[in-house]
Amino acid sequence: LNDNPSHYKITLSGTVKSPKINFDPPFLMLMPVPLDVKTETTINIIPQDYLRQSRIQVELPELELEDGDRICPFSVLFPEGQDIVLSSDGTNKELICHISFRSSKPVSFSGDMFFTDKEQN
């Protein structure tokens, strides 16, 4: 540049894409079952715009019963793993998640389960 920066001008522009997770189906309704009987369903987790590997964590709700006891009747299983991986074509592979519910005491629940990556997105 020879101490004359006015001859060279560089303009950069870009778009920042934040990683996100979508779900199929977008909400979940489990059927009522008798006490101590498991009900379960499968959801697909669809990661988008992850440029490096990450791992999905799940925060399951703890429920308070009428007698004051606290239970966590939900469980999750990732049969093919919890890692978000970048494919060679630049896309992220979907993750399969089995969600199940079982309770030995009567309970109903409407609320959220939180799925986060290692950066708390």
Side-chain angles (χ1 to χ4, degrees), residues 26-90:
F27 66 93
L28 169 62
M29 184 180 296
L30 296 171
M31 298 305 296
V33 292
L35 296 178
D36 253 347
V37 172
K38 181 165 62 170
T39 183
E40 61 187 336
T41 193
T42 299
I43 63 169
N44 291 317
I45 299 173
I46 307 160
Q48 293 180 318
D49 300 324
Y50 280 84
L51 300 177
R52 57 183 167 263
Q53 184 170 330
S54 192
R55 186 170 182 85
I56 296 292
Q57 301 296 323
V58 184
E59 184 181 319
L60 298 174
E62 186 177 73
L63 310 180
E64 184 171 350
L65 304 175
E66 289 180 4
D67 63 6
D69 285 348
R70 299 188 70 79
I71 62 169
C72 186
F74 295 97
S75 62
V76 296
L77 174 68
F78 292 87
E80 298 174 6
Q82 294 172 243
D83 292 331
I84 297 173
V85 179
L86 185 63
S87 300
S88 60
D89 65 357

